[in-house]
Amino acid sequence: MISAGTGMTSARTRSRLVERLRSQGISHEQVLSIIGQVPRHEFIDEALSHKAYDDTSLPIGFGQTISQPYIVARMSELAAMVAERHVALEIGTGCGYQTIVLSKLFKTVHSIERIGGLVRNTRERLSRLGVHNARLRHADGSLGLPDLAPFNVILITAAAPIVPENLIDQLSDGGRLIFPVGTQEQELRMIERKGSDFLESRLEKVNFVPLLPGLG
């Protein structure tokens, strides 16, 4: 069940966040509606709940963060504009905030997280919030899920030092790979598959935790 929240976590507070995102250029009405419904305060420590709807990233433990709402909305908007929204792959589940937004846009979401503690916590959280079409896996996300490919969208929530070429082949025709890339300076990019062609777009400067191999 979606939590209504009170005070600084209320629906009114979420409505102000939506208006701020709209002023920042987010225009996809379904994405804005989802952001307005999802209780971001449920994804962070209660002590930080008063900051839940600020446009900032916040710590979630294990050296990881929940992305700022603008970045979640921006990446979700790019994902939502594919022609077919059957299946998405998320690399970097984290606390599950981006996961729940994707779950309301796609029929099925597969999400990979390398940190076991986050997988356990997020699986319980998503179940409690009534999300049943997200499949979480404790694995090395840098490999993707070739056994379940192709995907309409692959969305990466951590920055790789170089373009993750091995994931491009896991895109369906018309699919999009949305990802941050870089080390000291990072950039949000998108690769679109058009048959045998792949078109890359450079979008904007971003700041993500690094994409690491292996399990944690």
Side-chain angles (χ1 to χ4, degrees):
M1 280 304 130
I2 294 294
S3 169
T6 59
M8 293 300 291
T9 63
S10 67
R12 179 179 293 181
T13 305
R14 294 201 288 274
S15 178
R16 287 197 293 267
L17 170 60
V18 168
E19 290 311 308
R20 188 163 63 244
L21 292 173
R22 204 186 296 275
S23 73
Q24 291 174 295
I26 304 300
S27 60
H28 195 285
E29 290 301 325
Q30 186 182 8
V31 169
L32 289 168
S33 176
I34 292 167
I35 296 286
Q37 295 169 23
V38 173
R40 191 170 184 254
H41 61 278
E42 295 279 0
F43 294 82
I44 59 175
D45 189 275
E46 188 175 354
L48 295 172
S49 62
H50 64 289
K51 296 183 178 181
Y53 299 97
D54 293 349
D55 194 25
T56 185
S57 59
L58 294 167
I60 57 171
F62 303 94
Q64 304 299 300
T65 60
I66 179 175
S67 293
Q68 67 185 95
Y70 168 76
I71 288 296
V72 173
R74 177 73 166 121
M75 295 177 79
S76 299
E77 183 173 64
L78 293 167
M81 288 189 278
V82 293
E84 295 183 334
R85 288 196 257 163
H86 300 306
V87 59
L89 171 62
E90 177 190 33
I91 296 174
T93 312
C95 64
Y97 182 64
Q98 176 71 80
T99 316
I100 196 172
V101 175
L102 288 174
S103 77
K104 296 178 181 298
L105 292 169
F106 289 81
K107 183 177 179 181
T108 303
V109 177
H110 296 278
S111 188
I112 308 173
E113 173 56 56
R114 64 180 293 273
I115 300 173
L118 283 175
V119 174
R120 290 188 293 273
N121 293 345
T122 300
R123 184 174 283 125
E124 186 279 330
R125 179 181 297 114
L126 293 181
S127 176
R128 173 163 44 84
L129 292 173
V131 178
H132 303 298
N133 64 328
R135 313 281 183 258
L136 273 56
R137 184 179 297 199
H138 182 207
D140 183 347
S142 64
L143 304 176
L145 289 177
D147 53 321
L148 295 177
F151 301 99
N152 303 121
V153 160
I154 300 174
L155 190 152
I156 308 177
T157 64
I162 59 173
V163 175
E165 301 281 354
N166 62 310
L167 298 176
I168 294 175
D169 290 338
Q170 297 181 36
L171 284 175
S172 64
D173 190 9
R176 290 181 166 186
L177 171 61
I178 303 161
F179 62 102
V181 65
T183 51
Q184 296 299 320
E185 291 190 3
Q186 299 174 7
E187 185 176 57
L188 184 64
R189 298 189 192 182
M190 178 172 68
I191 294 176
E192 299 178 86
R193 182 170 191 168
K194 305 290 185 182
S196 58
D197 295 325
F198 297 89
L199 310 176
E200 184 171 357
S201 303
R202 295 185 167 193
L203 303 172
E204 58 194 86
K205 299 298 183 184
V206 290
N207 185 26
F208 281 82
V209 296
L211 180 67
L212 299 175
L215 299 180

